[in-house]
């Protein structure tokens, strides 16, 4: 076959966090990111898998993603399909949404670059900016209060507190007492069951904008039961893995709000469909994050700038997480908003030298 020369490389990159990030499923001290780099027709496209070292947020991790990308997804790249075609052609591969999303996003970046347009323009109607909230891992009460104070000063539009079983009341009360009016939410990362409904009901006193993923990572039914027991609106993160799951969530009245992470739902085609379904059902939608480097973050910010997205998301600028990022033009926030990059595709200038120095291992996949 003649074919166009196409190269695909995966790199496992380690970037230390400025401070460890603690959720109900564990503490992470560094980001272990799987970065994809494709070169075709003189165009360099990048993407990042949102997997990390272990299967604790969902069942995927960097090893499963690398395997699925190498053995099943990379071959589909050769014809440089559109993201929509890629999605159709890989429908038969069950699950592995994070692996699929990373390759799908390479194609979004590549095709936007061939058209010399910013990704936000390829995706749909952009507001030109994204509203930004912050996600705070668990820490000592006084550390959290200081972080919340700093976040308010910096203009963040919503503050999300990670909670865990047995500590939820004290974590939220600490912040709510000090800041009675701030837009506050709590994220449980699926650590409760329906048996904990009394503890969750006590959070109703704190006027949270929503409670994120209290129950099992793949549950809809019990969330729909919990929704009838508490007044705080439920936001689903882990449970929403596809447009079909979003439709079912609204049919069951399991959630009023959806956190879309393009990585979790198989990419941006699926993300847009989920945002449309959510808004058609009168729900609210925002764009989450997975502690991505500047490469993964650029996709989230472009998507979060769409008119369809009506709540502030977890797209904080990366100086929150890293002393130094993989990109030379990191996002900055102004008055709680971030503008998507205006250069072609994701518009990031990858710091190749620092990427090389931060790479632990790399694989030539095509
Ligand atoms: O549940 O939203 C989550 C980070 C890792 C895993 C899961 C989650 C998170 C975050 C961080 O909340 C959001 C960010 O990237 O800033
Ligand atoms: Mg979450």
């Amino acid at each position: 076959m003649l074919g166009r020369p196409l190269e695909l490389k995966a790199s496992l990159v380690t970037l230390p966090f400025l401070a460890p990030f603690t959720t109900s499923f564990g503490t992470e001290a560094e980001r272990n990111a799987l970065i994809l780099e494709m070169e075709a027709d003189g165009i360099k496209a990048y993407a990042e898998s949102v997997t990390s070292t272990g299967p604790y947020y969902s069942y995927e991790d960097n090893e499963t993603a690398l395997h699925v990308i190498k053995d099943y997804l990379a071959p589909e790249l050769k014809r440089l399909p559109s993201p929509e075609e890629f999605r159709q052609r890989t429908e038969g591969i069950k699950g592995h949404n994070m692996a699929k999303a990373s390759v799908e996003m390479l194609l979004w970046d590549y095709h936007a670059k061939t058209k010399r347009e910013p990704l936000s323009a390829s995706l749909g109607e952009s507001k030109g900016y994204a509203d930004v909230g912050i996600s705070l891992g668990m820490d000592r009460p006084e550390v959290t209060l200081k972080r919340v104070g700093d976040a308010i000063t910096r203009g963040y539009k919503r503050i999300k507190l990670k909670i865990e079983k047995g500590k939820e009341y004290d974590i939220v009360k600490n912040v709510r007492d000090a800041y009675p009016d701030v837009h506050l939410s709590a994220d449980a990362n699926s650590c409760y069951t329906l048996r904990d409904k009394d503890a969750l009901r006590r959070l109703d006193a704190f006027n949270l904008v929503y409670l994120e993923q209290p129950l099992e990572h793949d549950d809809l039914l019990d969330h729909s039961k919990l929704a009838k027991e508490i007044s705080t609106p439920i936001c689903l993160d882990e449970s929403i893995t596809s447009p079909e799951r979003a439709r079912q969530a609204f049919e069951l009245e399991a959630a009023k709000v959806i956190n879309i992470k393009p990585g979790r739902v198989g990419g941006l085609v699926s993300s847009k469909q989920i945002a449309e379904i959510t808004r058609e059902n009168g729900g609210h939608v925002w764009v989450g994050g997975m502690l991505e480097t500047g490469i993964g973050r650029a996709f989230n910010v472009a998507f979060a700038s769409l008119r369809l997205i009506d709540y502030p998301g977890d797209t904080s600028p990366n100086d929150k997480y890293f002393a130094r990022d993989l990109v030379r033009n990191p996002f900055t926030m102004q008055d709680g908003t971030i503008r998507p990059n205006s250069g072609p595709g994701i518009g990031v200038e990858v710091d190749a030298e620092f990427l090389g120095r931060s790479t632990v291992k790399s694989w030539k996949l095509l």
Side-chain angles (χ1 to χ4, degrees), residues 4-11 35-48 69 73-81 86 102-114 295 350 355 363-366:
R4 287 171 280 192
L6 185 150
E7 289 182 25
L8 177 66
K9 185 174 145 187
S11 306
I35 303 289
L36 300 181
E37 206 175 326
M38 173 176 86
E39 195 163 352
D41 302 328
I43 289 176
K44 260 198 173 187
Y46 291 90
E48 174 172 349
I69 293 166
L73 300 172
E76 295 293 338
L77 268 183
K78 288 182 191 152
R79 293 170 35 257
L80 292 167
F86 173 79
S102 64
V103 178
E104 194 239 30
M105 285 152 116
L106 266 183
L107 289 165
W108 278 101
D109 188 32
Y110 170 81
H111 288 293
K113 282 173 174 162
T114 63
I295 292 173
V350 174
L355 170 63
W363 299 264
K364 190 172 162 18
L365 302 182
L366 286 175

Side-chain angles (χ1 to χ4, degrees), residues 21 23 25 28 57 133-136 160 162 187-189 212-213 237-238 259 261 286 288-292 297 300 314-316 318 320-321:
F21 192 82
T23 65
F25 61 83
E28 288 180 278
Y57 164 82
I134 194 168
S135 172
L136 297 178
K160 163 170 136 182
K162 292 287 184 181
D187 187 358
N189 286 110
E212 186 173 337
Q213 194 74 33
D237 173 351
E238 285 89 330
N259 163 355
K261 292 175 183 166
W286 54 278
M290 290 292 283
L291 317 172
E292 295 92 344
R297 231 42 173 183
N300 296 351
D314 286 343
T315 51
S316 61
N318 264 348
K320 170 185 179 244
Y321 291 120

